[in-house]
Amino acid sequence: MVTARAGVIGHPISHSFSPKLHGRWIEKYGLDARYDPVDGRDEETFVRLVRSFAEDGFVGANVTIPFKRLAYETVDELTETARKIGAVNLLIERDGKLIGDNTDAAGFAAALQSMGLAQTPKRARLLGAGGAAPAIVVALQAAGIGNIEIFNRTHAKAEELSARFGCETGDWERRNEGLEGIDLLVNSTSLGMEGQPPLGVEPMGLPGHAGVIDIITTPRQTALLAAAKARGLKTLNGLPMLVYQAIPSFEAWFGIRPDDPDEAIAFLETAA
Ligand code: NAP
C-alpha cells in the first residue's frame, strides 16, 4: 500500500515529463510514494478529482494545460505568488484544505540564472501571452529586467498582460524587427512544438551577448534554439524550467528538497 500519492493533472497529459522526473526522485530518496499522470479531461472532472484528493490519498499535484486558471479558482487558499501570477501549477492538500501555489516563476528564474549570461539583460522580448507567460514576466522582473516587450498573435492578450505588469507590447507580425536592441529573447508560445506550426523568428538580428530561451520541451531543441546556437548565442530549452519548478513541488509534498537539478536535467535530456 503506497502511503503518499501525487501527480500532474492536465489534458492531454501523456506527453508530460513530470512523472519521469518525480518518479526518479521518489526512487532516489526511497519514498513510499507515487507520482502519476492524471487526465483531468474537462472542467467538471478536474474539480471532482482535486476535491477528492484527501480520500484518494493525494498529498497534492502539479497542474498543467489547460487547468492552471481553473485550479486558481478552485482552491481554498492561494499563496501570494499564485495570486500575483493569477494561476496555480501546484496543489497541496493540507489539513483538509486545498492550497494553490505557483512555482513556474521560481522555475523560470532559476533556469535563467543557470544560463550564466555575461550581463544582466536590460531588455527582454517575450513571445506569447498564454498560460505560461505571466509567471515568466514575474520572473524577468524579479531578475531586474526593467524593459519587457510582449508580442502575441492575439494582441489584446499581450495588451492585458502588459497592463498588469507594466510592460510594452509589439505587433506580432513585426516580431523579427528591432532584435538588435534585445538582450534576452523568450519563446512561451506553443509554436515550434512537435505537431505545431513553426515560430517564424530568426535570431540573426540579436546582438552577440543575447540569450535565447525556448520553454518548449518537445522537441528539446526547437528551430529557434538551433538557429541561435548556430550563431553562437547562449540558449536554454524548457527542461531547466521544468526541473526547477518541480523541486519546490516535490519538497512541498514530501518534505525533501531534491538537490540534483543538473543531473535531473541531464536525465530528461536523454529520457525516452
Ligand atoms: P497556452 O496558454 O495554450 O498559450 C499558447 C500561446 O501560443 C499563446 O500565446 C498563443 O497565442 C500562442 N499560439 C498558439 N498557436 C499559435 C499560432 N498558430 N500562431 C501564433 N501564436 C500561437 O499555452 P502555455 O501554457 O502558455 O504553454 C505554451 C508552451 O510552453 C507549451 O509548449 C508548453 O508545453 C510550454 N510550457 C513549458 C513549461 C516548462 O516548464 N518548460 C511550463 C509551461 C509551459 P494566442 O494568445 O494568440 O492564442
Side-chain angles (χ1 to χ4, degrees):
M1 174 75 180
V2 170
T3 52
R5 294 190 68 189
V8 55
I9 309 187
H11 182 80
I13 197 60
S14 56
H15 67 285
S16 175
F17 279 114
S18 294
K20 287 190 180 72
L21 177 61
H22 287 278
R24 179 180 167 277
W25 283 329
I26 286 169
E27 205 181 308
K28 176 176 171 176
Y29 295 110
L31 302 184
D32 184 14
R34 55 184 290 172
Y35 183 106
D36 297 306
V38 179
D39 190 347
R41 295 218 306 261
D42 49 42
E43 295 200 348
E44 202 187 318
T45 309
F46 175 84
V47 172
R48 188 170 41 74
L49 283 169
V50 303
R51 280 284 159 212
S52 58
F53 267 180
E55 52 189 275
D56 294 340
F58 275 79
V59 290
N62 287 125
V63 181
T64 187
I65 302 177
F67 300 121
K68 287 184 186 183
R69 183 67 203 178
L70 181 60
Y72 179 91
E73 287 158 4
T74 303
V75 295
D76 300 311
E77 265 176 37
L78 288 165
T79 63
E80 208 183 308
T81 312
R83 211 179 283 279
K84 184 168 183 188
I85 294 167
V88 160
N89 81 317
L90 169 59
L91 294 170
I92 305 157
E93 176 70 38
R94 192 170 289 153
D95 304 328
K97 272 193 181 157
L98 196 58
I99 299 163
D101 197 359
N102 192 308
T103 61
D104 279 336
F108 185 86
L112 173 62
Q113 200 179 12
S114 77
M115 256 181 121
L117 291 173
Q119 57 196 71
T120 303
K122 288 194 178 68
R123 180 170 279 272
R125 179 171 297 180
L126 174 62
L127 305 169
I136 294 174
V137 172
V138 167
L140 292 172
Q141 291 183 333
I145 303 175
N147 295 304
I148 302 168
E149 42 186 61
I150 302 168
F151 286 62
N152 194 55
R153 173 183 60 175
T154 309
H155 194 71
K157 280 168 69 180
E159 290 282 6
E160 192 194 339
L161 187 59
S162 202
R164 262 176 76 197
F165 293 103
C167 307
E168 297 162 30
T169 59
D171 181 354
W172 177 248
E173 298 308 323
R174 304 176 74 172
R175 60 195 181 281
N176 274 305
E177 295 177 20
L179 287 174
E180 62 282 354
I182 299 297
D183 309 307
L184 180 68
L185 179 67
V186 182
N187 177 38
S188 80
T189 74
S190 43
L191 295 178
M193 206 174 151
E194 259 167 38
Q196 295 292 318
L199 176 63
V201 170
E202 290 300 331
M204 301 312 158
L206 288 167
H209 68 264
V212 179
I213 301 178
D214 196 329
I215 69 162
I216 285 172
T217 52
T218 47
R220 294 173 177 94
Q221 175 155 278
T222 59
L224 173 68
L225 292 186
K229 222 178 237 176
R231 260 214 56 200
L233 303 179
K234 281 203 167 173
T235 62
L236 206 68
N237 67 14
L239 293 177
M241 177 180 175
L242 183 82
V243 167
Y244 285 114
Q245 64 77 31
I247 289 173
S249 301
F250 192 89
E251 186 181 20
W253 305 316
F254 303 123
I256 295 172
R257 188 171 181 87
D259 59 358
D260 59 352
D262 293 344
E263 283 168 40
I265 293 163
F267 165 73
L268 292 181
E269 282 287 356
T270 53

